[in-house]
Amino acid sequence: MPTPLVVARDIDASYGEGRLATPVLRGASFTLERGALTAVTGPSGAGKTTLLSLVGGLDRPLRGSIVVDGIDLATLSRAALSTYRRMHVGFVFQAFHLLAHLTALENVESALAPLALKRAERRRRAVGALERVGLGSLGERFPQQLSGGEQQRVAVARACVKEPLLLLADEPTGNLDDESAGPVLELIRGERGTRTVVIVTHDAEVAGGADRRLVVAQHQVNEAACARR
Amino acid sequence: MRAALRLLAGAGAAALGLAALALVVVGTVAGGSRARATLLATRADLYERLALADLELRLSPTQRGLLTRVTLPPGVAVAEERTVVLGRLSGGSTRGVATLVRVLPAEGPPRLDRLEIEPGGHYPGHDEAALVVDRSVRDLFGLGVGARARLRVGDEEQELPIVGVALSPEHLLAPAHPAYGLPLKGTAAVVGVSWAAVKNVPRASTTTSVLFAFAPGADRHALEAALLEGVGVHVRESVPTAREPGRVFSDFLLTQFDLYLPTMVGAFALLGLLLLALFTARGVDRRRREVGLRLALGQTPWSIVRAFLPAPLTGTALGVLLGAWLHGPVAAATAGTWGRSMGFPPLVDAGAPWAVVVLAGAATLLTALLASALPVLGLARRAPARLLYESALSAPRAPGVLAGALARARGLLGLSPPLALALAGVARRRRDTLGAIVGVGLSVALVLAFLAVHVSHRVEARRAIAASTLSASVYFEEPAGAPSLALAYAATTGSGEPLVTRTAQLATPAGPQPRRLLGVGAQGWVRSQALAEGRRFERDDAPEALIDVWLARRDGLGVGSTLTLFPYPEAPEGESLTVVGVLDGMSMGRIIVPIEVAQRMYTFGELWTGVFLKSPLAPDLLEARLAALRGVESFMVGARAVEQVDSAFSGSLGVLMLGLFAAVGVALLVLGLLALEDRRERAPEIALLDALGWRARDLSLVTVGEVLARGVPALLLAGLLAPWLAGLFLAQVEAVNHYRVALHVPAWLMLAVLGPALLLLPLAAVPALWRARAQAPGRMLRTIAPD
């Protein structure tokens, strides 16, 4: 059996700062299997986004270890975490988080910018990523000129263009209607196998389609049963 | 109020920025006003303390006791004879310098054109052979109280102790070059020598001028005419107080001050108000969702305005108060720098111009008020939903044609992603970017333009001296003939051209007006003078004249005008001459006539009153030789005049350099504040890019790129605007001074100003980068509210 890509042990984490800090995880442990699609569910405020942030190197735990492919994120410096995110992590956010004053193509390119690529190569990859999400002809449009679903597909393209190990999606369809959500989910699901995908979601259908389901509740992360493909 | 203070505290840098800008506006306006008032008050106080004469009649050397032989008309309050001779002073750090020597009355200090002796010195006693030196002698040559100096007057040379250092009217100005159009910044040395020291010098026993003070309310013109008639043919020149060289020079400097300072202050004030409005409006923009929320809650636009006003007004009010408090040092620095160039003693502070402070403060607060209220009212016209549902990463309006064009341009230019993002950012914030470019560009352009005007003025002055002076101009005590010329040439191993110089009376509609007359040969020096219009006279006896631009404008004359010149005020007949040309350059009020015409007017025959000298001798040696010549009343060596021109301009250069530092400082402040605000607004973007794995240096480059994207065009704009503005200012200088100055905008000046400014630009990004918190991107991203 292949080893898990991510092994997290005894994680303590909070959000907010100082006196406003709210503990969300206490001694939580979990793993993420390579190439699997894992759904993370739980009540609001339980710490789902925090879990994603920890795995993605966007935040640090107060205690515990998160080992990704043999590297403990908790021991990495700020610069090293930046490198980790640059090379190995793609994010898809609920609010899309596209840069309004860049075109769709430039938004996808922004994920490749820190890599040592020639401009032509960067553009080629970005164009390819947009084509894979079905938006090859809309690269010159600005985010406001795209529908919500299209914006999220651009965000998926941005997340996948550098072929990361991890694709982390935080409620990717939370701001979309059913019609728009479908294609986005398809795209994300389509990455399983190639990458390790984690989706935070409230949607039972989304969670049901995952290979594994983690439930974040009462400061703990537990695996729950789900229908596997 | 508490809410306002909380908001103010929360606004942090933005509030400080508003306060700083308000401080700049009020500080410069009030400071400039106070500086001007201080200079005027100092001059008035100085003139009162020195009891400057209302009229000076300069005479051919006349036996002492002239006043006993003249009936003084009613209205003359004080009359005093004075003896001023030419000498040479050596000692201290000078081996010898031409010196105006005032023979001090034995009976006590002079009552008019007084000497104000500094503490530690005294006026020479009745039998005390001693010197009192002007401050410039101490400052330039290190000859102060207790020192000894050698003074040569005529054939007599003696070593004398210095018993006092004085502030004297001559320190402000004493033109030793009557033909020189531009007043000098003082002679090199002015001393008062006690009668006991020079009683054996024949020349010291004559009266060379008479000073008069008039009773308050007296008719000055009538008194001048009566005194001229009463004193008679001894009079060589009549100098009323308005034309007293010291006053003329300080008027000249104050006119320059009035030209430069209001423009600079006005520009900085406008710039400050513009930027204040910009930042205030930006602060409103940042709270656009709050406007949407308040509208959704049912508040009226005006009630929202009232909610938005306290924070910017509090920050602005703080700046206004600080400006009111700190304008004093601004005034002191400005007045002090300018005052030094005017030779002023310690300044007499005119006090705070409270009316100006209140007006400037009110204008600033009004600007902040309007800059808050109008954007709120503008936003309140939009549908609340549009305002509410904007996210921190979205744009307030859909990108237009410009945004698309810029995106294509970015692609074509192949910019690195951080720079592309920086450009996109400044383009998105068009209002701020345009405001910053215009504001910074204009302020730097203004100072550059003033510097160019200063340089142009200085260059032209030096050129004018070189053109008009040759090696030296020499003036005889009495009209002299060929032997005197020969002596002068021999003593200076030179050659030259004789001249006649006098003050003639020009008939004008307002009555006869004294004007400087210069008679020269038609084929000599006059051929080297630049013409603005017309031609030069061709013969030494032609009934023709040349005037300068100053005279042409003041007296409404031009080519073809007829001048009627009288040699003396009471002369029954005048000489009619036709103006054939107008001379260009920095001459102020000269009429140049053929030499024989001048000789005929004054019945000099084959005599002259001076000579333009050309000599290979070094300036120091030339001065020494001329000072040793008999029969020479005064002379000016061209090199000395150049030094004095430089000295005259050094004060304004000081103020301009202050202005330059202020302009660059304001530029960095503006760009830094914008960068700080941009970084703050961009925090979610930065967090996103951090999440995408952007390196810290790339994220920093976004901020630096924004600073450069605004700063470089601003400085380029400054470089383009400066010559044009300089031309405008020179036109003002021309209109005020009535002489022409060609514009010189040397490349070194532009480089010297713009080069360092360009290099300093990245510094403006430092506060923004410093403030960027080392916050984990996850926490920042969580603060971005979803749509």
Side-chain angles (χ1 to χ4, degrees), chain B residues 54 72-79 212-220 223 227:
Chain B
D54 291 312
L72 296 177
V76 175
V78 180
F212 300 96
F214 300 150
D219 183 339
R220 291 166 178 259
L223 279 174
L227 286 166

Side-chain angles (χ1 to χ4, degrees), chain B residues 126-358:
Chain B
H126 189 275
D127 294 318
E128 188 179 8
L131 289 174
V132 171
V133 300
D134 178 79
R135 291 183 306 163
S136 63
V137 172
R138 178 200 54 198
D139 297 340
L140 285 169
F141 308 125
L143 289 168
V145 173
R148 296 185 74 84
R150 295 196 70 77
L151 179 70
R152 185 185 181 88
V153 177
D155 293 330
E156 294 268 337
E157 183 170 347
Q158 52 185 315
E159 189 178 270
L160 296 166
I162 296 171
V163 299
V165 175
L167 175 67
S168 71
E170 285 82 5
H171 175 72
L172 296 177
L173 172 67
H177 187 334
Y180 178 38
L182 183 66
L184 301 170
K185 171 66 188 81
T187 57
V190 172
V191 304
V193 65
S194 63
W195 167 248
V198 292
K199 59 187 175 190
N200 296 324
V201 176
R203 184 70 201 280
S205 304
T206 61
T207 292
T208 59
S209 64
V210 189
L211 305 176
F212 300 96
F214 300 150
D219 183 339
R220 291 166 178 259
H221 290 300
L223 279 174
E224 182 180 353
L227 286 166
L228 281 169
E229 191 175 335
V231 175
V233 297
H234 303 286
V235 175
R236 288 191 300 112
E237 190 175 1
S238 169
V239 184
T241 188
R243 285 194 301 113
E244 191 271 322
R247 178 177 285 276
V248 168
F249 185 65
S250 69
D251 279 347
F252 170 75
L253 286 177
L254 276 173
T255 304
Q256 310 306 309
F257 187 81
D258 280 347
L259 194 62
Y260 287 120
L261 190 76
T263 309
M264 283 178 71
V265 165
F268 277 115
L270 278 174
L271 180 65
L273 290 175
L274 169 72
L275 295 169
L276 184 80
L278 207 68
F279 281 111
T280 307
R282 199 174 193 187
V284 169
D285 212 42
R286 229 182 13 250
R287 295 166 66 188
R288 54 199 301 116
R289 294 187 77 181
E290 183 184 336
V291 174
L293 183 62
R294 287 175 181 269
L295 286 170
L297 291 174
Q299 291 186 12
T300 64
W302 283 106
S303 66
I304 301 173
V305 167
R306 278 196 297 277
F308 271 56
L309 280 180
L313 285 183
T314 308
T316 305
L318 178 66
V320 166
L321 288 173
L322 284 172
W325 179 40
L326 293 173
H327 82 276
V330 171
T334 309
T337 307
W338 209 273
R340 266 192 297 280
S341 74
M342 299 172 75
F344 279 2
L347 299 173
V348 175
D349 186 14
W354 292 117
V356 173
V357 171
V358 166

Side-chain angles (χ1 to χ4, degrees), chain A residues 15-17 50 53 58-59 78 82 85-86 91 93 97 99-102 106 110 113-114 119 142 144 158 162 175, chain B residues 393 395 397 399 403 410-411 414 417 421 424 428 682 685 688 690-695 776-779 782 787:
Chain A
Y15 60 77
E17 287 178 318
T50 301
S53 295
L58 291 178
D59 213 339
R78 188 178 163 81
S82 175
R85 291 194 299 273
R86 181 162 61 244
F91 292 98
F93 301 98
H97 287 184
L99 296 171
H101 45 286
L102 298 182
E106 287 172 330
S110 65
R119 181 173 159 252
F142 289 92
Q144 291 104 316
R158 181 180 64 187
K162 57 189 173 185
N175 283 6
Chain B
L393 284 173
R397 54 183 174 273
R410 287 197 296 272
L421 204 61
R428 186 172 72 165
R682 265 212 150 132
E685 277 182 27
L688 176 67
D690 196 4
L692 293 177
W694 278 39
R695 292 182 180 82
R779 290 172 191 264
R782 267 202 284 271
D787 287 345

Side-chain angles (χ1 to χ4, degrees), chain B residues 33-123:
Chain B
S33 175
R34 187 168 180 170
R36 187 179 186 280
T38 294
L39 287 172
L40 287 174
T42 303
R43 188 176 76 159
D45 178 74
L46 179 68
Y47 283 2
E48 197 176 310
R49 279 158 42 208
L50 295 181
L52 293 194
D54 291 312
L55 177 70
E56 178 184 5
L57 295 181
R58 293 180 184 165
L59 313 174
S60 303
T62 305
Q63 190 184 2
R64 280 196 154 254
L66 175 68
L67 286 176
T68 60
R69 303 189 289 274
V70 169
T71 307
L72 296 177
V76 175
V78 180
E80 198 168 56
E81 292 183 32
R82 189 164 79 158
T83 305
V84 179
V85 297
L86 189 67
R88 191 161 181 82
L89 187 76
S90 55
S93 64
T94 178
R95 286 178 301 172
V97 61
T99 303
L100 276 182
V101 182
R102 287 177 66 173
V103 179
L104 302 176
E107 52 274 16
R111 291 173 297 159
L112 296 177
D113 283 15
R114 291 179 194 154
L115 297 175
E116 191 175 88
I117 298 181
E118 292 180 353
H122 65 268
Y123 190 82

